[in-house]
């Protein structure tokens, strides 16, 4: 696969956008029950913690190793972040601290990505019989994180709409 500079520039913009998303959450997150766990799912704070855990303990590690190594990286040598994730109860209670930590880590991964030369984006990463480039791996990370942040945004919107509906019902029916 021939990777072009325009693709890398776009990838860098996407990673920067994800940092801005985490930053933007700081202003709306306190208005929702971020520690409430919906049935069969993670709470917003748990989703954010997992996002940071996966980035720090899996994606960043693989990207750094692929960048440093001239030999293909095998993903089977890395533990899936789902298997190593543990909820930090203290951090779950301080959502602003968690979002600050995520933003800080995002800037670090953004700087890492900016320092990778165009030719190095073609480094190979294997998993079983499948081989992808470092660029494809990083792009997959971005897509997964975008989907996760969309899930959080949807939950925030759902909570906000629910509160708005509750206020409207109360204003129509003040006796209850």
């Amino acid at each position: 696969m021939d990777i072009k500079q325009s693709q890398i520039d776009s990838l860098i913009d996407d990673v920067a956008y994800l940092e801005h998303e985490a930053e933007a959450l700081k202003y709306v997150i306190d208005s929702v029950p971020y520690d409430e766990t919906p049935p069969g799912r993670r709470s917003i704070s748990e989703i954010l913690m997992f996002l940071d855990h996966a980035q720090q303990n899996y994606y960043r590690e693989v990207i750094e190793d692929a960048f440093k190594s001239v030999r293909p990286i095998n993903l089977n040598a890395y533990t899936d972040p789902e298997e190593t994730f543990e909820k930090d109860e203290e951090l779950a209670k301080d959502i602003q601290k968690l979002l600050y930590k995520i933003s800080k880590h995002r800037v670090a991964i953004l700087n890492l990505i900016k320092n990778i030369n165009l030719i190095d984006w073609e480094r190979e990463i294997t998993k079983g019989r499948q081989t992808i480039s470092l660029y494809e791996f990083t792009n997959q990370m971005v897509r997964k994180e975008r989907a996760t942040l969309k899930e959080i945004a949807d939950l925030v919107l759902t909570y906000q709409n629910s509160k708005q509906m509750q206020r409207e019902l109360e204003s129509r029916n003040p006796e209850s």
Side-chain angles (χ1 to χ4, degrees), residues 17 21 34 44-45 53 56 62-63 73-74 77 82 87 93 108 119-121 127-128 144 150 155 164 166 168:
Y17 173 79
E21 280 287 300
Y34 53 81
I44 291 173
S45 61
H53 169 77
Q56 285 301 103
V62 171
I63 292 167
I73 297 296
N74 187 336
E82 283 288 353
K87 181 181 175 184
K93 293 175 186 156
I119 190 75
D120 293 326
W121 284 104
K127 184 168 188 171
K144 281 183 183 173
K150 184 183 177 339
L155 280 172
Q164 179 63 31
Q166 189 65 36
E168 287 175 17

Side-chain angles (χ1 to χ4, degrees), residues 45-104:
S45 61
E46 285 174 303
I47 294 168
L48 288 167
M49 268 187 263
F50 176 76
L51 195 70
D52 190 51
H53 169 77
Q55 184 191 95
Q56 285 301 103
N57 299 294
Y58 180 72
Y59 292 108
R60 183 176 177 169
E61 197 176 312
V62 171
I63 292 167
E64 284 176 341
D65 290 351
F67 176 58
K68 291 177 200 167
S69 176
V70 290
R71 305 183 85 206
I73 297 296
N74 187 336
L75 289 180
N76 292 330
Y78 299 86
T79 308
D80 186 305
E82 283 288 353
E83 293 176 30
T84 57
F85 175 70
E86 290 180 24
K87 181 181 175 184
D88 180 335
E89 295 295 338
E90 284 301 307
L91 198 53
K93 293 175 186 156
D94 190 345
I95 197 76
Q96 293 298 328
K97 183 177 180 181
L98 173 60
L99 288 169
Y100 172 76
K101 187 177 159 189
I102 289 169
S103 288
K104 192 173 83 174

Side-chain angles (χ1 to χ4, degrees), residues 13 17 23 43 48 53 66 82 98 115-117 132 157 159 164 166 168-169:
D13 288 347
Y17 173 79
E23 201 58 41
S43 67
L48 288 167
H53 169 77
E82 283 288 353
L98 173 60
N115 289 320
I116 297 174
N117 295 319
I132 60 173
L157 197 59
Y159 286 130
Q164 179 63 31
Q166 189 65 36
E168 287 175 17
L169 285 173

